[in-house]
Amino acid sequence: MADANYDEVPAEKFTTALEYATALRDIIPTVPTESPVLAAQADITIGKIDPHVGGRGDSDGRWLEYQLDRALNRWGYGAARRQHIFSLEVDVVARRRTKQQEPSDWIVAQCKDWTTDPITPRILFRLCTVAFACRAMPVLCHTTELTPRAEKLARELEVRVLTLKDLERAELPAPHVAKPTTALNEWGPQYRAREDRGSFPLMFRGEPGKRFSYVPGFAPVGNGADYEPIESDQDDDDTHPAAGH
């Protein structure tokens, strides 16, 4: 069963119950068929019911996609599930309803509701390829573990890695770009993803726009996860930094 924190809202509970009641009409002849409510929903069939929304299933991960969808809506996003981007399907895409002039105004997310298989670099490479092609922020929502290489890659590419506990937060968490050193008695600076990631080849560094960024119009600032608009003279109409790119 799904955890109470992730159960359906009342309206959706009613819809699910109505779907099953409608599908059972042919099985139980004593159920009245003249009900105006059931008549209005005569097109509902058992084949249209999603068993992985109301309760956790072991099939294609729709339950976790639904949890992320709900969290994103609570964080101020409009989200859609099972979207096709070019020739690839992604689990969730989202756009912030009120833009905050940040790369996180757009999101491409992948959900992995696994129990044993770890997240490998292949999963992150696919996610980031699609997200960066859309000029959006990559988000991975998972219920398993990341391999050491995948964890390092997620830091370097600043992927928001979310667990079920993270979905209960009040806002979208920042990426984990810092990692404490494991050296004994060492109190130096923490490991920073941007220092380890390196930069572009020397031939590209002088070219305009050649910088690591989710969205054109933003440049990374410092060693954390901050970005700032490249254009400092924004118009009075609150033009987004990515406009025109």
Side-chain angles (χ1 to χ4, degrees):
M1 295 298 292
D3 185 81
N5 292 331
Y6 302 105
D7 206 355
E8 291 177 303
V9 296
E12 291 167 335
K13 287 181 180 179
F14 174 80
T15 301
T16 301
L18 182 60
E19 289 174 338
Y20 279 103
T22 304
L24 286 172
R25 282 189 301 171
D26 296 333
I27 302 174
I28 307 176
T30 57
V31 176
T33 58
E34 63 274 7
S35 170
V37 176
L38 293 179
Q41 303 294 331
D43 59 334
I44 296 179
T45 64
I46 193 69
K48 296 181 180 179
I49 298 173
D50 186 353
H52 304 297
V53 172
R56 196 170 186 177
D58 58 354
S59 182
D60 54 3
R62 292 177 184 267
W63 179 86
L64 187 58
E65 296 166 18
Y66 177 69
Q67 312 314 324
L68 178 59
D69 187 325
R70 291 185 61 190
L72 287 168
N73 276 275
R74 195 174 68 254
W75 294 335
Y77 289 85
R81 287 174 279 159
R82 297 295 173 103
Q83 300 295 298
H84 282 83
I85 299 176
F86 304 115
S87 60
L88 299 174
E89 182 183 81
V90 295
D91 294 335
V92 180
V93 296
R95 180 179 61 190
R96 190 173 268 131
R97 297 188 189 95
T98 302
K99 300 294 193 303
Q100 295 184 1
Q101 310 296 310
E102 297 177 354
S104 57
D105 287 338
W106 302 272
I107 283 177
V108 169
Q110 197 74 18
C111 297
K112 297 298 180 184
D113 189 16
W114 294 346
T115 57
T116 55
D117 295 338
I119 303 297
T120 63
R122 180 182 62 85
I123 302 298
L124 293 178
F125 280 128
R126 181 187 187 278
L127 168 62
C128 290
T129 297
V130 177
F132 294 160
C134 295
R135 299 295 191 251
M137 185 181 67
V139 171
L140 172 69
C141 186
H142 73 102
T143 56
T144 183
E145 300 293 332
L146 277 70
T147 65
R149 173 59 180 142
E151 181 182 355
K152 184 174 184 290
L153 186 64
R155 294 178 186 275
E156 293 175 353
L157 297 181
E158 300 176 25
V159 179
R160 264 69 169 180
V161 180
L162 309 181
T163 64
L164 284 177
K165 198 67 176 177
D166 291 322
L167 301 185
E168 299 176 2
R169 297 192 182 190
E171 60 183 8
L172 177 70
H176 301 292
V177 296
K179 182 179 181 180
T181 179
T182 58
L184 184 63
N185 297 326
E186 182 176 333
W187 298 92
Q190 291 181 326
Y191 160 90
R192 296 287 178 176
R194 288 180 179 174
E195 294 176 350
D196 193 72
R197 184 173 63 222
S199 59
F200 286 95
L202 182 61
M203 184 177 293
F204 293 166
R205 293 180 193 174
E207 298 293 321
K210 292 295 184 183
R211 58 180 63 84
F212 179 86
S213 179
Y214 295 118
V215 178
F218 293 92
V221 178
N223 288 325
D226 296 325
Y227 284 78
E228 67 178 8
I230 295 176
E231 295 85 359
S232 58
D233 55 342
Q234 293 293 315
D235 298 331
D236 295 336
D237 61 353
D238 196 30
T239 301
H240 199 280
H245 290 271

